[in-house]
PDB file of all heavy atoms in Angstrom:
ATOM      1  N   TRP A  34     -68.588 102.188  69.224  1.00  0.00           N
ATOM      2  CA  TRP A  34     -68.471 100.789  69.643  1.00  0.00           C
ATOM      3  C   TRP A  34     -69.785 100.288  70.214  1.00  0.00           C
ATOM      4  O   TRP A  34     -70.558 101.061  70.783  1.00  0.00           O
ATOM      5  CB  TRP A  34     -67.376 100.664  70.696  1.00  0.00           C
ATOM      6  CG  TRP A  34     -66.023 100.988  70.186  1.00  0.00           C
ATOM      7  CD1 TRP A  34     -65.390 102.208  70.226  1.00  0.00           C
ATOM      8  CD2 TRP A  34     -65.125 100.105  69.539  1.00  0.00           C
ATOM      9  NE1 TRP A  34     -64.149 102.121  69.653  1.00  0.00           N
ATOM     10  CE2 TRP A  34     -63.963 100.829  69.218  1.00  0.00           C
ATOM     11  CE3 TRP A  34     -65.181  98.765  69.192  1.00  0.00           C
ATOM     12  CZ2 TRP A  34     -62.868 100.254  68.580  1.00  0.00           C
ATOM     13  CZ3 TRP A  34     -64.088  98.188  68.560  1.00  0.00           C
ATOM     14  CH2 TRP A  34     -62.958  98.937  68.262  1.00  0.00           C
ATOM     15  N   PRO A  35     -70.014  98.958  70.164  1.00  0.00           N
ATOM     16  CA  PRO A  35     -71.279  98.402  70.653  1.00  0.00           C
ATOM     17  C   PRO A  35     -71.340  98.215  72.165  1.00  0.00           C
ATOM     18  O   PRO A  35     -72.419  98.051  72.719  1.00  0.00           O
ATOM     19  CB  PRO A  35     -71.354  97.046  69.952  1.00  0.00           C
ATOM     20  CG  PRO A  35     -69.927  96.659  69.706  1.00  0.00           C
ATOM     21  CD  PRO A  35     -69.202  97.963  69.462  1.00  0.00           C
ATOM     22  N   SER A  73     -78.688  98.977  67.676  1.00  0.00           N
ATOM     23  CA  SER A  73     -77.875  99.313  68.853  1.00  0.00           C
ATOM     24  C   SER A  73     -78.566 100.444  69.601  1.00  0.00           C
ATOM     25  O   SER A  73     -78.710 101.538  69.068  1.00  0.00           O
ATOM     26  CB  SER A  73     -76.482  99.773  68.432  1.00  0.00           C
ATOM     27  OG  SER A  73     -75.785  98.740  67.803  1.00  0.00           O
ATOM     28  N   HIS A  74     -79.018 100.185  70.817  1.00  0.00           N
ATOM     29  CA  HIS A  74     -79.738 101.203  71.594  1.00  0.00           C
ATOM     30  C   HIS A  74     -78.801 102.233  72.208  1.00  0.00           C
ATOM     31  O   HIS A  74     -79.196 103.357  72.467  1.00  0.00           O
ATOM     32  CB  HIS A  74     -80.597 100.537  72.666  1.00  0.00           C
ATOM     33  CG  HIS A  74     -81.617  99.606  72.075  1.00  0.00           C
ATOM     34  ND1 HIS A  74     -82.696 100.050  71.351  1.00  0.00           N
ATOM     35  CD2 HIS A  74     -81.684  98.260  72.066  1.00  0.00           C
ATOM     36  CE1 HIS A  74     -83.391  99.017  70.931  1.00  0.00           C
ATOM     37  NE2 HIS A  74     -82.802  97.914  71.351  1.00  0.00           N
ATOM     38  N   THR A  75     -77.566 101.816  72.471  1.00  0.00           N
ATOM     39  CA  THR A  75     -76.548 102.732  72.983  1.00  0.00           C
ATOM     40  C   THR A  75     -75.239 102.426  72.252  1.00  0.00           C
ATOM     41  O   THR A  75     -75.111 101.390  71.587  1.00  0.00           O
ATOM     42  CB  THR A  75     -76.318 102.574  74.499  1.00  0.00           C
ATOM     43  OG1 THR A  75     -75.849 101.259  74.763  1.00  0.00           O
ATOM     44  CG2 THR A  75     -77.587 102.865  75.286  1.00  0.00           C
ATOM     45  N   TYR A  76     -74.291 103.316  72.409  1.00  0.00           N
ATOM     46  CA  TYR A  76     -72.974 103.118  71.811  1.00  0.00           C
ATOM     47  C   TYR A  76     -71.939 103.882  72.619  1.00  0.00           C
ATOM     48  O   TYR A  76     -72.269 104.764  73.397  1.00  0.00           O
ATOM     49  CB  TYR A  76     -72.956 103.549  70.337  1.00  0.00           C
ATOM     50  CG  TYR A  76     -73.229 105.017  70.095  1.00  0.00           C
ATOM     51  CD1 TYR A  76     -72.183 105.902  69.839  1.00  0.00           C
ATOM     52  CD2 TYR A  76     -74.526 105.526  70.113  1.00  0.00           C
ATOM     53  CE1 TYR A  76     -72.427 107.252  69.609  1.00  0.00           C
ATOM     54  CE2 TYR A  76     -74.773 106.867  69.880  1.00  0.00           C
ATOM     55  CZ  TYR A  76     -73.728 107.719  69.637  1.00  0.00           C
ATOM     56  OH  TYR A  76     -73.960 109.063  69.416  1.00  0.00           O
ATOM     57  N   ASP A  92     -72.061 104.730  76.800  1.00  0.00           N
ATOM     58  CA  ASP A  92     -73.521 104.618  76.995  1.00  0.00           C
ATOM     59  C   ASP A  92     -74.290 105.774  76.368  1.00  0.00           C
ATOM     60  O   ASP A  92     -75.262 106.269  76.949  1.00  0.00           O
ATOM     61  CB  ASP A  92     -73.867 104.507  78.486  1.00  0.00           C
ATOM     62  CG  ASP A  92     -73.514 103.153  79.052  1.00  0.00           C
ATOM     63  OD1 ASP A  92     -73.706 102.153  78.345  1.00  0.00           O
ATOM     64  OD2 ASP A  92     -73.047 103.089  80.203  1.00  0.00           O
ATOM     65  N   LEU A  93     -73.905 106.209  75.194  1.00  0.00           N
ATOM     66  CA  LEU A  93     -74.614 107.296  74.518  1.00  0.00           C
ATOM     67  C   LEU A  93     -75.886 106.750  73.876  1.00  0.00           C
ATOM     68  O   LEU A  93     -75.892 105.642  73.343  1.00  0.00           O
ATOM     69  CB  LEU A  93     -73.715 107.934  73.458  1.00  0.00           C
ATOM     70  CG  LEU A  93     -72.400 108.511  73.983  1.00  0.00           C
ATOM     71  CD1 LEU A  93     -71.577 109.072  72.839  1.00  0.00           C
ATOM     72  CD2 LEU A  93     -72.655 109.573  75.027  1.00  0.00           C
ATOM     73  N   PRO A  94     -76.978 107.527  73.911  1.00  0.00           N
ATOM     74  CA  PRO A  94     -78.245 107.037  73.361  1.00  0.00           C
ATOM     75  C   PRO A  94     -78.238 107.014  71.829  1.00  0.00           C
ATOM     76  O   PRO A  94     -77.701 107.900  71.184  1.00  0.00           O
ATOM     77  CB  PRO A  94     -79.264 108.050  73.887  1.00  0.00           C
ATOM     78  CG  PRO A  94     -78.479 109.298  74.114  1.00  0.00           C
ATOM     79  CD  PRO A  94     -77.104 108.857  74.510  1.00  0.00           C
ATOM     80  N   ASN A  95     -78.839 105.975  71.279  1.00  0.00           N
ATOM     81  CA  ASN A  95     -78.982 105.840  69.830  1.00  0.00           C
ATOM     82  C   ASN A  95     -80.461 105.608  69.518  1.00  0.00           C
ATOM     83  O   ASN A  95     -80.855 104.568  68.996  1.00  0.00           O
ATOM     84  CB  ASN A  95     -78.139 104.676  69.303  1.00  0.00           C
ATOM     85  CG  ASN A  95     -78.169 104.578  67.796  1.00  0.00           C
ATOM     86  OD1 ASN A  95     -78.083 105.583  67.103  1.00  0.00           O
ATOM     87  ND2 ASN A  95     -78.291 103.365  67.281  1.00  0.00           N
ATOM     88  N   ARG A 157     -79.864  99.324  81.805  1.00  0.00           N
ATOM     89  CA  ARG A 157     -79.278  98.875  80.533  1.00  0.00           C
ATOM     90  C   ARG A 157     -77.768  99.140  80.453  1.00  0.00           C
ATOM     91  O   ARG A 157     -77.149  98.834  79.452  1.00  0.00           O
ATOM     92  CB  ARG A 157     -80.002  99.490  79.351  1.00  0.00           C
ATOM     93  CG  ARG A 157     -79.828 100.962  79.179  1.00  0.00           C
ATOM     94  CD  ARG A 157     -80.533 101.462  77.921  1.00  0.00           C
ATOM     95  NE  ARG A 157     -80.242 102.844  77.721  1.00  0.00           N
ATOM     96  CZ  ARG A 157     -81.122 103.821  77.731  1.00  0.00           C
ATOM     97  NH1 ARG A 157     -82.388 103.553  77.896  1.00  0.00           N
ATOM     98  NH2 ARG A 157     -80.744 105.060  77.549  1.00  0.00           N
TER      99      ARG A 157
END
Side-chain angles (χ1 to χ4, degrees):
W34 295 93
S73 296
H74 300 291
T75 62
Y76 63 101
D92 287 322
L93 301 178
N95 185 43
R157 68 177 185 243

